[in-house]
Every structure is written in structure tokens, then in C-alpha cells.
Coordinates of all heavy atoms in Angstrom, one line a residue:
I1 N 2.6 8.6 7.7 CA 3.9 7.9 7.6 C 3.8 6.8 6.5 O 4.8 6.6 5.9 CB 4.2 7.3 9.0 CG1 4.5 8.4 10.0 CG2 5.3 6.3 8.9 CD1 4.6 7.9 11.5
L2 N 2.7 6.1 6.4 CA 2.6 5.1 5.4 C 2.8 5.7 4.0 O 3.5 5.1 3.1 CB 1.3 4.4 5.5 CG 1.2 3.4 6.6 CD1 -0.3 2.8 6.7 CD2 2.2 2.3 6.5
T3 N 2.1 6.8 3.7 CA 2.2 7.5 2.4 C 3.7 7.9 2.2 O 4.2 7.7 1.1 CB 1.3 8.7 2.3 OG1 0.0 8.2 2.6 CG2 1.4 9.3 0.9
E4 N 4.3 8.5 3.2 CA 5.7 8.9 3.0 C 6.6 7.7 2.7 O 7.5 7.7 1.9 CB 6.2 9.6 4.2 CG 5.6 11.0 4.4 CD 5.9 11.6 5.7 OE1 6.8 11.2 6.4 OE2 5.3 12.6 6.1
S5 N 6.4 6.5 3.4 CA 7.1 5.3 3.1 C 6.9 4.8 1.7 O 7.9 4.4 1.1 CB 6.7 4.2 4.1 OG 7.1 4.6 5.4
M6 N 5.7 4.9 1.2 CA 5.4 4.5 -0.2 C 6.2 5.4 -1.1 O 6.7 4.9 -2.1 CB 3.9 4.6 -0.5 CG 3.1 3.6 0.3 SD 3.4 1.9 -0.4 CE 1.7 1.4 -0.6
I7 N 6.2 6.7 -0.9 CA 6.9 7.6 -1.8 C 8.4 7.3 -1.8 O 9.0 7.3 -2.8 CB 6.6 9.1 -1.4 CG1 5.2 9.4 -1.7 CG2 7.6 10.0 -2.1 CD1 4.7 10.8 -1.2
L8 N 8.9 7.0 -0.6 CA 10.4 6.6 -0.5 C 10.7 5.3 -1.2 O 11.7 5.2 -1.9 CB 10.8 6.5 1.0 CG 10.9 7.8 1.7 CD1 11.2 7.5 3.2 CD2 12.0 8.7 1.2
S9 N 9.7 4.4 -1.2 CA 9.9 3.1 -1.8 C 9.7 3.2 -3.3 O 10.5 2.5 -4.1 CB 9.0 2.1 -1.3 OG 9.3 1.8 0.1
Y10 N 8.7 3.9 -3.8 CA 8.4 3.9 -5.2 C 8.6 5.2 -5.9 O 8.3 5.2 -7.1 CB 6.9 3.4 -5.3 CG 6.7 2.0 -4.8 CD1 6.2 1.8 -3.5 CD2 7.1 0.9 -5.6 CE1 6.1 0.5 -3.1 CE2 7.0 -0.4 -5.1 CZ 6.5 -0.6 -3.8 OH 6.3 -1.8 -3.3
G11 N 9.0 6.2 -5.2 CA 9.2 7.5 -5.8 C 8.0 8.3 -5.9 O 6.9 7.8 -5.9
D12 N 8.2 9.6 -5.9 CA 7.0 10.5 -6.0 C 6.5 10.6 -7.4 O 7.3 10.5 -8.4 CB 7.5 11.9 -5.5 CG 6.3 12.8 -5.1 OD1 5.2 12.3 -5.1 OD2 6.6 14.0 -4.8
M13 N 5.3 10.6 -7.6 CA 4.7 10.7 -8.9 C 4.6 12.1 -9.4 O 4.6 13.0 -8.6 CB 3.3 10.1 -8.9 CG 3.2 8.7 -8.5 SD 3.9 7.6 -9.7 CE 3.9 6.0 -8.8
S14 N 4.7 12.2 -10.7 CA 4.6 13.6 -11.3 C 3.3 14.2 -10.9 O 2.2 13.6 -10.9 CB 4.6 13.4 -12.9 OG 4.2 14.6 -13.5
A15 N 3.3 15.5 -10.7 CA 2.1 16.2 -10.2 C 1.0 16.2 -11.3 O -0.1 16.4 -11.1 CB 2.5 17.7 -9.9
N16 N 1.4 15.9 -12.6 CA 0.5 15.9 -13.7 C 0.0 14.5 -14.0 O -0.8 14.4 -14.9 CB 1.2 16.5 -14.9 CG 1.5 17.9 -14.8 OD1 0.8 18.7 -14.1 ND2 2.6 18.3 -15.3
S17 N 0.4 13.5 -13.3 CA 0.1 12.2 -13.5 C -1.1 11.7 -12.7 O -1.1 11.9 -11.5 CB 1.3 11.2 -13.3 OG 0.9 9.9 -13.4
I18 N -2.1 11.1 -13.3 CA -3.2 10.5 -12.6 C -2.7 9.4 -11.6 O -3.3 9.1 -10.6 CB -4.3 10.0 -13.5 CG1 -5.6 9.6 -12.8 CG2 -3.8 8.8 -14.3 CD1 -6.4 10.8 -12.4
N19 N -1.6 8.8 -11.9 CA -1.0 7.7 -11.1 C -0.5 8.2 -9.8 O -0.3 7.3 -8.9 CB 0.1 7.0 -11.9 CG -0.4 6.3 -13.1 OD1 -1.6 5.9 -13.1 ND2 0.5 6.1 -14.1
R20 N -0.4 9.5 -9.6 CA 0.0 9.9 -8.3 C -0.9 9.5 -7.1 O -0.5 9.4 -6.0 CB 0.2 11.4 -8.3 CG -1.1 12.3 -8.3 CD -0.8 13.7 -8.6 NE -1.9 14.6 -8.6 CZ -2.7 14.7 -9.7 NH1 -2.5 14.0 -10.8 NH2 -3.8 15.5 -9.6
Y21 N -2.2 9.3 -7.5 CA -3.2 8.9 -6.5 C -3.0 7.4 -6.0 O -3.5 7.0 -5.0 CB -4.6 9.0 -7.0 CG -4.9 10.5 -7.3 CD1 -5.0 10.9 -8.6 CD2 -5.1 11.4 -6.3 CE1 -5.3 12.3 -8.9 CE2 -5.3 12.7 -6.5 CZ -5.5 13.2 -7.8 OH -5.7 14.5 -8.1
D22 N -2.2 6.6 -6.8 CA -2.0 5.2 -6.5 C -1.3 5.1 -5.1 O -1.7 4.2 -4.3 CB -1.1 4.6 -7.5 CG -1.8 4.4 -8.9 OD1 -3.0 4.8 -9.0 OD2 -1.1 3.9 -9.8
L23 N -0.4 6.0 -4.8 CA 0.3 5.9 -3.6 C -0.6 6.1 -2.4 O -0.5 5.4 -1.4 CB 1.4 7.0 -3.5 CG 2.5 6.9 -4.5 CD1 3.4 8.1 -4.5 CD2 3.4 5.6 -4.3
Y24 N -1.6 7.0 -2.5 CA -2.5 7.2 -1.4 C -3.5 6.0 -1.3 O -3.9 5.6 -0.2 CB -3.3 8.5 -1.7 CG -2.3 9.7 -1.7 CD1 -1.8 10.2 -2.9 CD2 -1.9 10.3 -0.5 CE1 -0.9 11.2 -2.9 CE2 -1.0 11.3 -0.5 CZ -0.5 11.8 -1.7 OH 0.4 12.8 -1.8
Y25 N -3.8 5.5 -2.4 CA -4.7 4.3 -2.4 C -4.1 3.1 -1.7 O -4.7 2.5 -0.8 CB -5.0 3.9 -3.9 CG -5.8 2.6 -4.0 CD1 -7.2 2.6 -4.0 CD2 -5.1 1.4 -4.3 CE1 -7.9 1.4 -4.1 CE2 -5.8 0.2 -4.4 CZ -7.2 0.2 -4.3 OH -7.9 -0.9 -4.5
Y26 N -2.8 2.8 -2.1 CA -2.1 1.7 -1.4 C -1.8 1.9 0.0 O -1.9 1.0 0.9 CB -0.9 1.3 -2.2 CG -1.2 0.7 -3.5 CD1 -0.9 1.3 -4.7 CD2 -1.8 -0.6 -3.6 CE1 -1.2 0.7 -6.0 CE2 -2.1 -1.2 -4.8 CZ -1.8 -0.5 -6.0 OH -2.1 -1.1 -7.2
A27 N -1.5 3.2 0.4 CA -1.2 3.5 1.8 C -2.5 3.3 2.6 O -2.4 2.8 3.7 CB -0.7 4.9 1.9
G28 N -3.6 3.7 2.1 CA -4.9 3.6 2.8 C -5.3 2.1 2.9 O -5.7 1.7 4.0
A29 N -5.0 1.4 1.9 CA -5.3 -0.1 1.9 C -4.5 -0.8 3.0 O -4.9 -1.6 3.8 CB -5.1 -0.7 0.6
L30 N -3.2 -0.4 3.0 CA -2.3 -1.0 4.0 C -2.7 -0.7 5.4 O -2.7 -1.5 6.3 CB -0.8 -0.6 3.7 CG 0.2 -1.1 4.6 CD1 0.3 -2.6 4.7 CD2 1.6 -0.6 4.3
Y31 N -3.0 0.6 5.6 CA -3.4 1.0 6.9 C -4.6 0.2 7.4 O -4.7 -0.3 8.5 CB -3.8 2.5 6.9 CG -4.4 3.0 8.2 CD1 -3.6 3.3 9.3 CD2 -5.7 3.2 8.3 CE1 -4.1 3.7 10.5 CE2 -6.3 3.6 9.5 CZ -5.5 3.9 10.6 OH -6.0 4.3 11.7
N32 N -5.6 0.1 6.5 CA -6.8 -0.6 6.9 C -6.6 -2.1 7.2 O -7.2 -2.7 8.1 CB -7.9 -0.4 5.9 CG -8.6 0.9 6.0 OD1 -9.1 1.3 7.1 ND2 -8.5 1.7 4.9
M33 N -5.7 -2.7 6.4 CA -5.4 -4.1 6.6 C -4.7 -4.3 8.0 O -5.0 -5.2 8.7 CB -4.4 -4.6 5.5 CG -5.1 -5.0 4.3 SD -4.0 -5.7 3.0 CE -3.8 -7.4 3.8
V34 N -3.8 -3.4 8.3 CA -3.1 -3.4 9.6 C -4.0 -3.2 10.8 O -4.0 -4.0 11.8 CB -1.9 -2.4 9.6 CG1 -1.3 -2.3 11.0 CG2 -0.8 -2.8 8.7
V35 N -4.9 -2.3 10.6 CA -5.9 -2.1 11.7 C -6.8 -3.3 11.9 O -6.9 -3.8 13.1 CB -6.8 -0.8 11.4 CG1 -8.0 -0.8 12.3 CG2 -6.0 0.5 11.5
C36 N -7.3 -3.9 10.9 CA -8.1 -5.1 11.0 C -7.2 -6.3 11.6 O -7.7 -7.0 12.5 CB -8.6 -5.5 9.7 SG -9.9 -4.5 9.1
W37 N -6.0 -6.4 11.1 CA -5.1 -7.5 11.6 C -4.9 -7.3 13.1 O -5.0 -8.3 13.9 CB -3.8 -7.4 10.8 CG -2.7 -8.3 11.2 CD1 -2.8 -9.7 11.2 CD2 -1.4 -8.0 11.6 NE1 -1.6 -10.3 11.6 CE2 -0.7 -9.2 11.8 CE3 -0.7 -6.8 11.7 CZ2 0.6 -9.3 12.2 CZ3 0.6 -6.9 12.1 CH2 1.3 -8.1 12.3
L38 N -4.6 -6.1 13.5 CA -4.3 -5.9 15.0 C -5.6 -6.1 15.8 O -5.5 -6.7 16.9 CB -3.8 -4.5 15.2 CG -2.4 -4.2 14.6 CD1 -2.0 -2.7 14.8 CD2 -1.4 -5.1 15.3
K39 N -6.8 -5.6 15.3 CA -8.0 -5.8 16.0 C -8.4 -7.3 16.2 O -9.0 -7.7 17.2 CB -9.2 -5.1 15.3 CG -9.2 -3.6 15.6 CD -10.4 -3.0 14.9 CE -10.4 -1.5 15.2 NZ -11.6 -0.9 14.6
D40 N -8.0 -8.1 15.2 CA -8.2 -9.5 15.2 C -7.2 -10.3 16.0 O -7.2 -11.5 16.0 CB -8.3 -10.1 13.8 CG -9.6 -9.7 13.1 OD1 -10.6 -9.2 13.8 OD2 -9.7 -9.8 11.9
G41 N -6.3 -9.6 16.6 CA -5.3 -10.3 17.5 C -4.0 -10.6 16.8 O -3.2 -11.4 17.3
A42 N -3.8 -10.1 15.6 CA -2.5 -10.3 14.8 C -2.1 -11.8 14.8 O -1.0 -12.2 15.1 CB -1.4 -9.5 15.4
K43 N -3.1 -12.6 14.4 CA -2.8 -14.1 14.4 C -1.9 -14.5 13.3 O -1.1 -15.5 13.5 CB -4.2 -14.8 14.2 CG -5.1 -14.6 15.4 CD -6.5 -15.2 15.1 CE -7.5 -14.7 16.2 NZ -8.7 -14.2 15.6
E44 N -1.9 -13.8 12.2 CA -1.0 -14.1 11.1 C 0.4 -13.5 11.4 O 0.4 -12.5 12.1 CB -1.6 -13.6 9.8 CG -2.9 -14.3 9.4 CD -4.1 -13.6 10.0 OE1 -3.9 -12.6 10.8 OE2 -5.2 -14.1 9.8
T45 N 1.4 -14.0 10.8 CA 2.7 -13.4 10.9 C 2.8 -12.1 10.0 O 2.0 -11.9 9.1 CB 3.8 -14.3 10.5 OG1 3.7 -14.5 9.1 CG2 3.8 -15.6 11.3
S46 N 3.7 -11.3 10.3 CA 3.9 -10.1 9.5 C 4.3 -10.4 8.1 O 3.8 -9.8 7.1 CB 4.9 -9.1 10.1 OG 6.2 -9.8 10.3
S47 N 5.0 -11.5 7.9 CA 5.4 -12.0 6.6 C 4.1 -12.4 5.8 O 4.0 -12.1 4.6 CB 6.3 -13.2 6.7 OG 7.6 -12.7 7.2
Q48 N 3.2 -13.2 6.5 CA 2.0 -13.6 5.8 C 1.2 -12.4 5.4 O 0.6 -12.3 4.3 CB 1.2 -14.4 6.8 CG 1.7 -15.8 7.0 CD 0.9 -16.6 8.0 OE1 0.7 -16.1 9.1 NE2 0.6 -17.8 7.7
M49 N 1.1 -11.4 6.3 CA 0.4 -10.1 6.0 C 1.0 -9.4 4.8 O 0.3 -8.9 3.9 CB 0.3 -9.3 7.2 CG -0.6 -9.8 8.3 SD -2.3 -10.2 7.8 CE -2.9 -8.6 7.4
A50 N 2.3 -9.3 4.7 CA 3.0 -8.6 3.6 C 2.7 -9.3 2.3 O 2.3 -8.7 1.3 CB 4.5 -8.6 3.9
I51 N 2.7 -10.7 2.3 CA 2.4 -11.4 1.1 C 1.0 -11.2 0.7 O 0.6 -11.0 -0.5 CB 2.7 -12.9 1.3 CG1 4.2 -13.1 1.4 CG2 2.1 -13.8 0.2 CD1 4.6 -14.5 1.9
Q52 N 0.0 -11.2 1.7 CA -1.4 -11.0 1.4 C -1.6 -9.6 0.8 O -2.4 -9.4 -0.2 CB -2.2 -11.2 2.6 CG -3.7 -11.2 2.3 CD -4.1 -12.3 1.3 OE1 -3.6 -13.3 1.2 NE2 -5.2 -12.0 0.6
F53 N -0.9 -8.6 1.4 CA -1.1 -7.2 0.9 C -0.6 -7.2 -0.6 O -1.3 -6.6 -1.4 CB -0.3 -6.3 1.7 CG -0.3 -4.9 1.2 CD1 -1.5 -4.1 1.4 CD2 0.7 -4.3 0.5 CE1 -1.5 -2.8 0.9 CE2 0.6 -3.0 0.0 CZ -0.5 -2.3 0.2
L54 N 0.5 -7.8 -0.9 CA 1.0 -7.8 -2.3 C 0.1 -8.5 -3.2 O -0.1 -8.1 -4.3 CB 2.4 -8.4 -2.3 CG 3.5 -7.6 -1.6 CD1 4.8 -8.4 -1.6 CD2 3.7 -6.2 -2.3
K55 N -0.5 -9.6 -2.8 CA -1.5 -10.3 -3.6 C -2.7 -9.4 -3.9 O -3.2 -9.4 -5.0 CB -2.0 -11.6 -2.9 CG -1.0 -12.7 -2.9 CD -1.7 -13.9 -2.3 CE -0.8 -15.1 -2.0 NZ -1.4 -16.2 -1.3
C56 N -3.2 -8.8 -2.8 CA -4.4 -8.0 -3.0 C -4.2 -6.7 -3.8 O -5.0 -6.3 -4.6 CB -4.9 -7.5 -1.6 SG -5.6 -8.8 -0.6
S57 N -3.0 -6.2 -3.7 CA -2.8 -4.9 -4.3 C -2.1 -5.0 -5.7 O -2.1 -4.0 -6.4 CB -2.0 -4.0 -3.4 OG -0.7 -4.6 -3.2
N58 N -1.5 -6.1 -6.0 CA -0.7 -6.2 -7.2 C 0.2 -5.0 -7.3 O 0.2 -4.2 -8.2 CB -1.6 -6.3 -8.4 CG -0.9 -6.8 -9.7 OD1 0.2 -7.3 -9.6 ND2 -1.5 -6.7 -10.8
I59 N 1.1 -4.9 -6.3 CA 1.9 -3.7 -6.0 C 2.8 -3.4 -7.2 O 3.2 -2.2 -7.3 CB 2.7 -3.9 -4.7 CG1 3.1 -2.6 -4.1 CG2 3.9 -4.8 -4.9 CD1 2.1 -1.8 -3.4
N60 N 3.1 -4.3 -8.1 CA 4.0 -4.0 -9.2 C 3.4 -3.1 -10.2 O 4.0 -2.6 -11.1 CB 4.5 -5.3 -9.8 CG 3.4 -6.1 -10.5 OD1 2.2 -5.8 -10.2 ND2 3.7 -7.0 -11.3
Q61 N 2.1 -2.7 -10.0 CA 1.5 -1.8 -10.9 C 1.8 -0.3 -10.5 O 1.3 0.6 -11.2 CB -0.1 -2.0 -10.8 CG -0.5 -3.3 -11.3 CD -0.1 -3.5 -12.8 OE1 -0.3 -2.7 -13.6 NE2 0.5 -4.7 -13.1
L62 N 2.6 -0.1 -9.5 CA 2.9 1.3 -9.1 C 4.0 1.9 -10.0 O 5.1 2.0 -9.7 CB 3.4 1.3 -7.6 CG 2.4 1.4 -6.5 CD1 3.0 1.4 -5.2 CD2 1.5 2.6 -6.7
T63 N 3.6 2.2 -11.2 CA 4.5 2.8 -12.1 C 3.8 4.1 -12.7 O 2.6 4.2 -12.9 CB 4.8 1.9 -13.3 OG1 3.6 1.5 -13.9 CG2 5.6 0.7 -12.7
D64 N 4.6 5.0 -13.1 CA 4.2 6.3 -13.7 C 4.3 6.1 -15.2 O 5.3 5.7 -15.7 CB 5.0 7.4 -13.2 CG 4.4 8.8 -13.4 OD1 3.2 8.8 -13.8 OD2 5.0 9.8 -13.3
E65 N 3.2 6.3 -15.9 CA 3.2 6.2 -17.3 C 3.6 7.5 -18.0 O 3.4 8.6 -17.5 CB 1.8 5.8 -17.8 CG 1.4 4.4 -17.3 CD 0.0 4.0 -17.7 OE1 -0.7 4.8 -18.4 OE2 -0.4 2.9 -17.3

């Protein structure tokens, strides 16, 4: 579901582009952050987590060259 959401948000990458793997990388990172956040009791707000994810991932790099 996370990967599909990323594709909907950022578009599907060309099958010939190495950048197509970025979507899977970021979806996996987001999944792992959410799992850790929930296991730790979800002390931070979802907004704080979203901001931290964007800081960690530099999400604006999801572009196809």
C-alpha cells in the first residue's frame, strides 16, 4: 500500500530508469519508521513524524531524469 501511495503521489517511473527504485526505497523507509514509532508508543505526533521523514529522505529528490 505504501509503494502504491508513493506511485500515486509522485508518478510511476520509467521501466528503463534507475530512479524507479527510489519509490521502493522511500516506501520501505517510511514503513520502518512507522513500525518503530508505533512500537515506541507513538509519542510524537503524526505531523512531527511526517516532517522527520521528509528531513531524513530529502523527498524532493524523487524525480525521473
